[in-house]
Amino acid sequence: MTATQVERVPRRAPAPAPAPAPKARPPLRVVREEEMRRVVDRRRRARAVTGLVVLVVVGGLFGLVASHVVLTQGQFRLEQLEHRAAEEQARFERLRLQVAQLESPERVVAAAQERLGMVAPPGVKYLSPVGAVDGSAAPPADDSLAAGDDWTTVKRHLASRP
């Protein structure tokens, strides 16, 4: 045989699938009313339990969504308050700077000279008390208090003055 010659082999038809065996039917019987009621009651209870489970799941999902909504609203309110606090902090800083500028000695001197017509003194003279300053003072007059008096004496003395 050459490469150009192809031997043709007749193909066989596929074998038919085996026929399924007939299923054996359970024996038929008459169902009494009591059995029928039990089946109906079981189905009814199953529906009630299923409905209750669905209701609980839907209620839980609703509660979850509601809690997320409340959480989101709280977060939005928090962001608003933080923004307002930042604005107020900036305002406080601006006012603090303004107070510092108004309290500056240069500005106070300039305002005193311009508005009130005050002038700087030509010289500064310092005064000192005459006599020694050693902490001992002259004895008090009769109606004054001594250093060792107690509070009741001081209180009576102060009450007698106008």
Side-chain angles (χ1 to χ4, degrees):
M1 251 195 205
T2 63
T4 57
Q5 294 177 336
V6 177
E7 185 177 329
R8 295 203 175 193
V9 178
R11 292 194 175 202
R12 291 185 187 172
K23 290 185 180 179
R25 286 186 170 179
L28 298 177
R29 63 184 179 90
V30 175
V31 180
R32 290 188 231 139
E33 279 189 43
E34 296 169 3
E35 290 178 52
M36 195 64 169
R37 265 190 250 128
R38 274 188 251 143
V39 169
V40 169
D41 287 344
R42 263 186 275 155
R43 287 181 183 166
R44 193 175 293 144
R45 278 191 300 259
R47 284 187 199 126
V49 168
T50 303
L52 184 63
V53 167
V54 166
L55 186 66
V56 167
V57 168
V58 168
L61 289 175
F62 181 75
L64 186 64
V65 168
S67 67
H68 278 285
V69 166
V70 169
L71 185 66
T72 303
Q73 287 175 343
Q75 184 66 30
F76 182 69
R77 176 79 174 131
L78 180 64
E79 287 176 3
Q80 284 179 334
L81 290 175
E82 286 175 348
H83 180 69
R84 184 172 173 204
E87 287 176 349
E88 293 299 322
Q89 183 67 31
R91 180 176 174 260
F92 172 76
E93 292 297 327
R94 284 191 310 270
L95 290 174
R96 193 169 158 192
L97 175 64
Q98 186 179 6
V99 166
Q101 289 171 345
L102 291 174
E103 287 179 341
S104 71
E106 295 85 20
R107 191 204 115 357
V108 171
V109 168
Q113 289 174 348
E114 292 172 10
R115 291 186 199 153
L116 302 176
M118 297 179 131
V119 294
V124 178
K125 183 176 183 184
Y126 294 98
L127 302 176
S128 62
V130 178
V133 181
D134 61 354
S136 63
D142 293 338
D143 66 338
S144 64
L145 298 171
D149 289 343
D150 64 344
W151 173 245
T152 55
T153 308
V154 172
K155 189 173 180 182
R156 264 188 267 122
H157 176 71
L158 293 175
S160 66
R161 289 190 172 182

